Amino acid sequence: PNPPPTPLNTFLLQAFSHAASTIYIQTPNLTCFPVITALHSALFRGVDVHLVTSSRLMILEQLVTAGTITEFEIWKLRRWYKKVCGKRNKQVDLERGENKVGGLKIGYYHPREGRLGEEEPVKSHLKLVIVDEEVTVLGSGNMDRARYVLELRWCFWIFSNYFSVCLGFELY
């Protein structure tokens, strides 16, 4: 089922569908089927996708609202990616303008070590999307089914290459 056409849902899915080079997502949960499908499409178009999430966070909530958990969805995404890369990249005709599958990088949040005088969180609850180093979406929007279907959230949309690059530099 499609998510309700809230401004945040509409904007994020459109941003993913129009991404030309990169998508960076940091979210505690990734259980929303329309988001995962949009990432499949982006990867198939040659867009590089970098996901950072947390492990073993809000498992009961994920099971109740989505019937799945982030770790399982990440496992499925990796499996899909390996299968598609094996087939697609062998059949690509670059002279006809066909793209190879974009790169997929998945990581789990770990506190940085060696930060003198600063406390690092044990888990990350950051909700951040950066598309093509031009558009940054920062706020309370998880990439989970509960947020996409059951409740509304707020966020900031920042259209600034400088902001996106600086923020990305701190995170990647």
Side-chain angles (χ1 to χ4, degrees), residues 3 44 48 57 89 97 140 156 164:
F44 206 70
D48 293 331
L57 186 65
N89 287 344
S140 63
F156 293 100
S164 295

Short mmCIF file of all heavy atoms in Angstrom, two decimals, residues 3 44 48 57 89 97 140 156 164:
data_model
loop_
_atom_site.label_atom_id
_atom_site.label_comp_id
_atom_site.label_asym_id
_atom_site.label_seq_id
_atom_site.Cartn_x
_atom_site.Cartn_y
_atom_site.Cartn_z
N PRO A 3 1.97 5.02 0.97
CA PRO A 3 1.85 5.83 2.18
C PRO A 3 0.94 7.03 1.90
O PRO A 3 0.77 7.42 0.75
CB PRO A 3 3.28 6.28 2.47
CG PRO A 3 3.96 6.24 1.15
CD PRO A 3 3.30 5.14 0.38
N PHE A 44 19.29 1.07 -9.12
CA PHE A 44 19.19 0.56 -10.48
C PHE A 44 19.50 1.64 -11.51
O PHE A 44 19.99 1.36 -12.59
CB PHE A 44 17.80 -0.04 -10.71
CG PHE A 44 17.77 -1.09 -11.76
CD1 PHE A 44 18.37 -2.32 -11.56
CD2 PHE A 44 17.15 -0.86 -12.98
CE1 PHE A 44 18.36 -3.30 -12.54
CE2 PHE A 44 17.12 -1.83 -13.97
CZ PHE A 44 17.73 -3.05 -13.75
N ASP A 48 24.44 6.14 -6.07
CA ASP A 48 25.11 5.54 -4.92
C ASP A 48 24.28 5.82 -3.67
O ASP A 48 23.87 6.96 -3.43
CB ASP A 48 26.51 6.13 -4.74
CG ASP A 48 27.46 5.73 -5.87
OD1 ASP A 48 27.27 4.66 -6.46
OD2 ASP A 48 28.38 6.51 -6.15
N LEU A 57 17.41 -1.63 18.00
CA LEU A 57 16.79 -0.43 18.55
C LEU A 57 15.29 -0.48 18.26
O LEU A 57 14.89 -0.66 17.11
CB LEU A 57 17.40 0.82 17.93
CG LEU A 57 16.97 2.16 18.49
CD1 LEU A 57 17.45 2.30 19.94
CD2 LEU A 57 17.58 3.30 17.67
N ASN A 89 25.20 -5.58 -14.03
CA ASN A 89 26.48 -5.02 -14.44
C ASN A 89 27.17 -5.83 -15.53
O ASN A 89 28.02 -5.31 -16.24
CB ASN A 89 27.40 -4.84 -13.23
CG ASN A 89 26.94 -3.68 -12.35
OD1 ASN A 89 26.14 -2.84 -12.78
ND2 ASN A 89 27.43 -3.62 -11.14
N GLY A 97 24.26 4.26 -23.23
CA GLY A 97 23.87 5.14 -22.13
C GLY A 97 23.28 4.42 -20.94
O GLY A 97 22.67 5.06 -20.08
N SER A 140 12.32 14.68 12.39
CA SER A 140 11.88 13.53 13.18
C SER A 140 11.32 12.40 12.33
O SER A 140 10.63 11.53 12.83
CB SER A 140 10.82 13.99 14.20
OG SER A 140 9.68 14.48 13.53
N PHE A 156 12.99 19.74 8.59
CA PHE A 156 13.48 20.90 7.86
C PHE A 156 13.99 20.43 6.52
O PHE A 156 14.69 19.42 6.44
CB PHE A 156 14.65 21.58 8.61
CG PHE A 156 14.24 22.20 9.90
CD1 PHE A 156 14.46 21.54 11.10
CD2 PHE A 156 13.63 23.44 9.94
CE1 PHE A 156 14.09 22.10 12.30
CE2 PHE A 156 13.24 24.01 11.13
CZ PHE A 156 13.47 23.34 12.32
N SER A 164 24.85 20.82 2.88
CA SER A 164 24.87 19.37 2.68
C SER A 164 26.28 18.81 2.71
O SER A 164 26.55 17.79 3.35
CB SER A 164 24.21 19.01 1.35
OG SER A 164 22.85 19.35 1.35
#
